[in-house]
Amino acid sequence: MRVERAGDALKKKKKRSSKNLKINTRIAMTAVTAIFVPIIIIAIFTIIFAESATSFFNISTVTTNSYSTINQLQWAQTRARITEALTADDTAEAKKETIRSIASQLEEIDSLVYVEADGQELYSTSTAEEVLEAAVNITDISGEENIDYFGDNGLVIVNRSENYLAVIVNENYTFGDTAQKLTARDFTNLMLSRTGIIILIIVLLFVIAITVISSITSSTIVKPIKKIADGADEIARGNLDYKIEYDSTNELGKTVKSFNEMRLRLKTSIEQRNVEAQKRNELIAGIAHDLRTPLTSAKGYAEGVRDGIANTPEKKRLYLETICSSIDGTQKILDDLLTMSKLELKDYRLNKVDISIREFIEDGVQDMKLRLEESGFELGVIINCPKQTIVSLDPDAFSRVIANIISNSIKYAKDGVKGKIDITLSEYDRSVILEITDNGIGVDEKSLPKIFDTMYRADPARTRVFDGSGLGLSVCKNIVEMHGGLIWASSRDSKGLSIFISLPKKEV
């Protein structure tokens, strides 16, 4: 049970495999992915960019002491950084280190910085008095409000709260209308140039994402198509053992499956055609061999008569009887060959009539008895079937079946043993079975299933061909099957052969 469940789970997993997605589904997924993946990437990029935007636009640090729009943003960003450092939940030492880092950048443009927290000096460029005095010389800082002063005589920024004070002074700060216009334009150019870079990055992200997704999707479609094309090339070169390895339930998988099945059918068809061609060649060779034997015999005895070897009336009679017998053998071979050809071409027609199978066998036995006695055979007959048992058959065709089987038994009689043939007719619910058994050489187990094949002989040396064509049992099989019956054989090697024929009864 567990094994079955595991097998079912494996099948379900296989069905859910991405290889099994239909082509339309793949294309739809590609379109959706090509839209959403770049959006997700851009969203991530935006979050990262938001964190680093001040650095990207060069506004995180003051780089000049002359007025411009960028400079105003830089001072606002610097003030915010100082406030953030002072209000952070860090140790005094950590705060001092952060303030020192910010102040060092301002001092590079000749600024003075003073910062205190909780009434204690945290950082000062020089003494607190010097910084505050410089600020007072530029503007009044005595009030309680915060100050952002930018003027021709300098710059003063004062940031106050209950817990801290930060003062920034720059006495060399310049301010002017002309500069303002120029710096505003510079700011605009800077923003546009940097924004262009961002747009370019977004476009590149879209292009890369779509290219990668399209490439992946294309490979999942092109790869199996290439396998199909390679398979077609192999088959075109005659390699019918080439199997396309692609297991999927989508359209391409079904195409590959159909292609492999077509290859197998083609291979089977060609192999069957080759087998049939081989059988046909064997048939022609066998018939040629079988015809040669009686014809050679007839020719030899005819030459004996012509050359005067048969110089007595008894010899002439014997020679002529042998010639007639050889001609009869040749005629039988040709008759069997003609019948077999008609059967294969579906040109053989039965003239069936409803007949008592008991009376048919009893009448036939009288005709067979004389022939068997001439051949030194005994005939035994057992009939377990009433006269009322009716079957539908062609009397001439079925007589030929029995005659062929009897001839086969005579041909394969044991040397030195009196031949015997037993005929048994039995009735069953829906059929009658006719059994014809001899005490001849029999057929080995390996050859038994093949004795009804065209031109098959269990005697590989083909030395007993005078009375048969190798077509007899094959003709029997075809005629019996045309009657809706079955024919089969049973044998114990060297102990005779039994042929069974089953025919359906006619409902009365």
Side-chain angles (χ1 to χ4, degrees):
M1 183 64 72
R2 290 181 179 177
V3 174
E4 290 178 359
R5 289 177 180 174
D8 292 340
L10 185 61
K11 289 179 180 178
K12 290 180 180 178
K13 184 177 180 182
K14 184 178 178 181
K15 288 182 178 179
R16 293 194 295 265
S17 173
S18 60
K19 286 179 65 179
N20 298 327
L21 291 176
K22 294 183 177 180
I23 295 176
N24 289 338
T25 305
R26 290 172 187 258
I27 294 173
M29 289 179 63
T30 301
V32 172
T33 306
I35 294 172
F36 284 101
V37 169
I39 290 175
I40 293 171
I41 295 174
I42 290 169
I44 295 172
F45 172 77
T46 302
I47 294 171
I48 297 172
F49 176 74
E51 296 293 328
S52 59
T54 54
S55 297
F56 183 78
F57 285 108
N58 198 25
I59 58 175
S60 61
T61 304
V62 179
T63 57
T64 179
N65 57 0
S66 61
Y67 177 84
S68 69
T69 307
I70 295 176
N71 184 251
Q72 298 303 292
L73 292 173
Q74 290 173 339
W75 281 111
Q77 180 66 22
T78 299
R79 177 176 178 173
R81 290 172 61 196
I82 293 173
T83 301
E84 183 180 352
L86 293 172
T87 57
D89 293 332
D90 293 334
T91 62
E93 197 61 38
K95 291 180 179 180
K96 184 181 294 185
E97 185 62 32
T98 303
I99 295 299
R100 181 180 293 110
S101 174
I102 297 171
S104 64
Q105 297 172 353
L106 298 176
E107 289 169 349
E108 290 180 0
I109 56 170
D110 300 327
S111 298
L112 302 176
V113 181
Y114 172 75
V115 179
E116 67 177 42
D118 298 323
Q120 300 294 323
E121 181 180 305
L122 198 63
Y123 182 84
S124 181
T125 302
S126 59
T127 64
E129 291 77 9
E130 290 180 354
V131 175
L132 295 174
E133 182 181 353
V136 170
N137 291 335
I138 296 173
T139 187
D140 183 14
I141 63 171
S142 60
E144 296 297 325
E145 72 280 0
N146 291 329
I147 298 173
D148 290 297
Y149 177 84
F150 299 89
D152 290 333
N153 59 335
L155 172 149
V156 176
I157 295 176
V158 178
N159 198 12
R160 292 188 177 93
S161 76
E162 294 180 358
N163 300 321
Y164 64 83
L165 171 65
V167 180
I168 303 173
V169 181
N170 191 302
E171 297 176 321
N172 297 322
Y173 195 75
T174 59
F175 187 96
D177 292 339
T178 303
Q180 182 178 358
K181 293 177 182 178
L182 292 174
T183 53
R185 186 184 304 163
D186 292 340
F187 173 74
T188 302
N189 293 337
L190 174 64
M191 295 297 289
L192 289 175
S193 63
R194 296 296 172 89
T195 304
I197 294 173
I198 296 172
I199 294 173
L200 179 60
I201 292 173
I202 292 174
V203 170
L204 287 175
L205 287 175
F206 263 104
V207 171
I208 292 171
I210 292 173
T211 302
V212 171
I213 294 168
S214 299
S215 177
I216 294 172
T217 304
S218 175
S219 65
T220 61
I221 297 175
V222 173
K223 189 174 180 181
I225 291 177
K226 186 177 184 302
K227 287 186 176 182
I228 295 174
D230 291 342
D233 290 340
E234 289 293 330
I235 290 178
R237 286 194 288 268
N239 182 10
L240 297 179
D241 294 320
Y242 185 87
K243 181 182 179 182
I244 301 175
E245 299 293 343
Y246 183 75
D247 188 14
S248 174
T249 58
N250 63 10
E251 297 92 336
L252 292 174
K254 291 177 181 177
T255 302
V256 169
K257 183 178 179 182
S258 298
F259 201 94
N260 285 330
E261 290 176 353
M262 178 194 70
R263 173 187 62 83
L264 291 175
R265 286 196 296 269
L266 180 61
K267 182 180 178 181
T268 302
S269 175
I270 292 175
E271 289 176 348
Q272 186 175 358
R273 189 185 307 165
N274 291 337
V275 170
E276 291 174 354
Q278 179 66 21
K279 286 183 177 180
R280 187 171 288 105
N281 292 335
E282 291 175 357
L283 174 63
I284 294 171
I287 291 174
H289 184 281
D290 289 350
L291 286 173
R292 182 181 299 160
T293 301
L295 289 175
T296 300
S297 176
K299 179 183 178 182
Y301 281 96
E303 288 175 348
V305 174
R306 182 195 65 187
D307 297 339
I309 297 175
N311 50 14
T312 66
E314 291 78 9
K315 278 189 176 183
K316 286 182 179 180
R317 186 182 305 108
L318 176 62
Y319 274 39
L320 290 174
E321 287 177 355
T322 304
I323 292 170
C324 289
S325 178
S326 298
I327 292 173
D328 288 342
T330 303
Q331 184 177 0
K332 186 177 185 307
I333 293 174
L334 294 176
D335 287 344
D336 285 342
L337 180 61
L338 179 61
T339 301
M340 197 67 213
S341 297
K342 288 183 177 181
L343 288 169
E344 289 183 349
L345 295 172
K346 309 299 181 185
D347 193 32
Y348 192 87
R349 296 289 182 268
L350 295 178
N351 296 313
K352 293 196 290 185
V353 295
D354 294 343
I355 191 171
S356 169
I357 187 65
R358 179 185 180 118
E359 292 180 352
F360 175 79
I361 295 299
E362 287 176 343
D363 292 341
V365 165
Q366 301 303 320
D367 296 332
M368 286 184 283
K369 212 165 193 180
L370 180 60
R371 180 184 174 191
L372 289 172
E373 287 176 354
E374 290 176 353
S375 301
F377 272 71
E378 292 182 8
L379 177 64
V381 181
I382 301 174
I383 297 181
N384 299 316
C385 184
K387 288 185 178 181
Q388 294 81 8
T389 303
I390 305 299
V391 296
S392 180
L393 55 78
D394 183 331
D396 292 336
F398 205 76
S399 296
R400 183 171 187 176
V401 169
I402 297 175
N404 282 354
I405 295 173
I406 297 295
S407 296
N408 198 65
S409 296
I410 295 172
K411 180 173 59 174
Y412 289 105
K414 276 185 182 178
D415 294 333
V417 177
K418 185 175 179 61
K420 183 179 181 182
I421 294 177
D422 293 317
I423 297 177
T424 304
L425 178 66
S426 303
E427 180 187 23
Y428 295 90
D429 289 341
R430 297 183 180 180
S431 63
V432 294
I433 295 181
L434 178 65
E435 178 184 353
I436 302 174
T437 302
D438 63 46
N439 63 342
I441 62 175
V443 179
D444 63 85
E445 185 178 352
K446 181 180 179 182
S447 301
L448 191 62
K450 303 177 183 178
I451 63 173
F452 297 103
D453 293 347
T454 303
M455 286 304 297
Y456 181 79
R457 291 176 185 269
D459 174 18
R462 300 181 61 86
T463 56
R464 303 184 181 206
V465 297
F466 187 81
D467 292 326
S469 62
L471 296 169
L473 291 182
S474 179
V475 170
C476 293
K477 178 176 183 293
N478 281 274
I479 292 176
V480 169
E481 289 178 350
M482 288 180 71
H483 281 85
L486 297 172
I487 185 169
W488 67 96
S490 175
S491 175
R492 288 181 297 171
D493 197 10
S494 300
K495 293 185 179 180
L497 177 70
S498 295
I499 302 291
F500 298 87
I501 299 173
S502 172
L503 293 173
K505 291 196 304 184
K506 186 79 174 180
E507 296 294 336
V508 180

